[in-house]
Amino acid sequence: LMGYVGFANFPNQVHRKSVKTGFQFTCMVVGESGLGKSTLVNTLFNTQIYPNKQPAEPTHDCPQTVEIQSITTDIEENGVRLRMTVVDTPGFGDFVNNEESWKPILDNIESRFDAYLEQENRVNRRKMVDNRIHACLYFITPTGHALKPLDVEFMRRLHTRVNLIPVIAKADTLTEEEVVAFKQRILADIKHHNIQIYQAPAYEYDDEETIAENREVMSKIPFAIVGSDKEFEVEGGRRVRGRRYPWGVIQVDNEEHCDFVKLRQMLIRTHMEELKEFTNDVLYENYRTEKLSAMGI
Ligand code: GDP
Ligand code: MG
């Protein structure tokens, strides 16, 4: 079903409380301009979170830093509310010298940790606002070759602070074989550079179905992504979201065509709570410990 998001069907009873109060999730998108970040966000929520606009011509008075733009939207499904915030980072990798492109992004992530820490230290902790980034989708240029130094540098600098989820942008520009080979190469590069990308934990009490589902989702990383806000008619008169080529339509919501469905499933159904927990229990906790010990506390 096209407009279907999926969070209302959380399988686990543990989430009953969230079902009542509503889910809240913050996701960041990072990658060079033109890789389809805004399009993916629109595709993910099947709405125009970002209005269509022509990309601005680069001019000399363009800001010479990465911008941080945050957009929040409420999605409701079967009476369950999800407040989704997407943090976009236009400008990343766009400058003559991109050596420090990662820095404003790291600063932003850490300042969100600081804001949380500050609330924890208050006497009244009943109204905690969690603006921490729970997942960071990192868009890799579909070169079919290897990670670029910019990619490696970003991931190396950020992996201890955020759940990194690498995605291959515009996967429709690669053949199926190229995608398979590129994924292997990316994972090898990630391993070679000791980069920690997000890994779902396995629990003893997980049933076989959950384990199989997790394994299936994880096996797709880095997700090969195709985004589109256009619909086309395919065989049988069905209308599908996709991108049209002379030989046919690449379908966004068809798992045989790309990994978009799996990525969405992971983010807003199977792993949303996991990503939040890991952010709180490991990433934030490590940051907090480092910060307090640096202060001599
Ligand atoms: P951003 O700068 O990363 O936010 O990229 P945009 O979402 O603005 O997309 C830049 C251009 O790439 C637009 O013309 C999109 O239509 C196109 N685009 C977005 N996603 C895809 C995709 O998955 N495949 C292809 N081939 N083009 C895409
Ligand atoms: Mg954009």
Side-chain angles (χ1 to χ4, degrees):
L1 207 71
M2 236 190 61
Y4 180 72
V5 175
F7 59 90
N9 284 6
F10 262 105
N12 198 327
Q13 291 298 303
V14 170
H15 305 301
R16 268 184 15 227
K17 181 164 165 277
S18 298
V19 169
K20 224 187 288 163
T21 56
F23 292 91
Q24 184 268 329
F25 190 74
T26 305
C27 181
M28 182 182 252
V29 291
V30 181
E32 288 169 68
S33 286
L35 287 183
K37 298 181 297 297
S38 304
T39 306
L40 179 78
V41 172
N42 285 335
T43 312
L44 204 51
F45 298 105
N46 202 24
T47 56
Q48 289 288 116
I49 293 177
Y50 295 107
N52 265 326
K53 64 164 169 48
Q54 293 303 316
E57 285 295 315
T59 61
H60 289 294
D61 41 69
C62 243
Q64 287 300 297
T65 58
V66 177
E67 277 177 79
I68 309 282
Q69 298 175 348
S70 176
I71 298 178
T72 297
T73 184
D74 280 321
I75 306 170
E76 198 166 308
E77 186 174 282
N78 302 343
V80 180
R81 201 168 47 80
L82 168 63
R83 170 154 291 188
M84 181 78 179
T85 301
V86 176
V87 179
D88 198 354
T89 57
F92 175 83
D94 292 348
F95 307 110
V96 178
N97 181 348
N98 291 305
E99 247 168 60
E100 302 243 300
S101 259
W102 54 271
K103 186 115 193 348
I105 296 173
L106 180 65
D107 288 347
N108 185 268
I109 288 173
E110 292 188 342
S111 74
R112 288 161 185 269
F113 281 164
D114 288 336
Y116 197 81
L117 184 57
E118 204 242 310
Q119 294 180 76
E120 280 189 330
N121 292 334
R122 279 197 215 136
V123 178
N124 182 350
R125 292 196 241 170
R126 260 174 306 174
K127 287 218 172 97
M128 301 276 286
V129 178
D130 184 7
N131 284 325
R132 295 171 297 182
I133 304 289
H134 302 120
C136 174
L137 300 182
Y138 185 78
F139 285 63
I140 298 166
T141 312
T143 59
H145 303 302
L147 289 182
K148 298 197 243 178
L150 179 72
D151 305 329
V152 173
E153 189 64 11
F154 178 83
M155 292 200 258
R156 264 187 357 96
R157 297 285 185 170
L158 273 288
H159 69 155
T160 58
R161 293 288 185 252
V162 74
N163 287 313
L164 279 180
I165 302 174
V167 305
I168 298 174
K170 299 183 170 182
D172 54 306
T173 61
L174 300 171
T175 67
E176 231 176 293
E177 294 75 32
E178 284 169 334
V179 167
V180 171
F182 194 32
K183 280 190 176 187
Q184 284 170 0
R185 178 60 198 262
I186 290 167
L187 291 176
D189 285 352
I190 283 172
K191 193 166 170 214
H192 175 78
H193 291 284
N194 286 317
I195 292 162
Q196 184 63 52
I197 56 172
Y198 178 68
Q199 298 264 283
Y203 299 109
E204 285 171 38
Y205 56 78
D206 276 344
D207 53 57
E208 265 170 53
E209 199 186 323
T210 308
I211 293 168
E213 192 179 42
N214 278 351
R215 197 175 292 143
E216 171 74 8
V217 169
M218 289 297 132
S219 74
K220 300 291 183 198
I221 296 178
F223 298 99
I225 290 307
V226 178
S228 172
D229 40 27
K230 295 211 170 55
E231 286 186 14
F232 299 99
E233 203 167 291
V234 291
E235 325 81 67
R238 269 190 319 129
R239 291 190 70 75
V240 298
R241 295 190 295 178
R243 305 196 78 91
R244 185 156 59 192
Y245 283 89
W247 37 265
V249 174
I250 299 237
Q251 300 174 21
V252 165
D253 296 282
N254 185 333
E255 292 198 44
E256 313 237 295
H257 292 195
C258 75
D259 301 328
F260 170 77
V261 170
K262 276 281 176 296
L263 170 67
R264 181 180 60 186
Q265 187 183 338
M266 176 191 182
L267 282 184
I268 51 193
R269 193 164 68 81
T270 58
H271 291 78
M272 186 199 277
E273 292 293 291
E274 293 287 2
L275 288 159
K276 290 176 72 171
E277 260 172 48
F278 194 81
T279 302
N280 184 68
D281 300 354
V282 180
L283 301 168
Y284 170 69
E285 198 51 39
N286 287 344
Y287 176 78
R288 189 176 158 279
T289 308
E290 283 171 35
K291 177 129 185 163
L292 296 183
S293 63
M295 286 160 60
I297 298 174

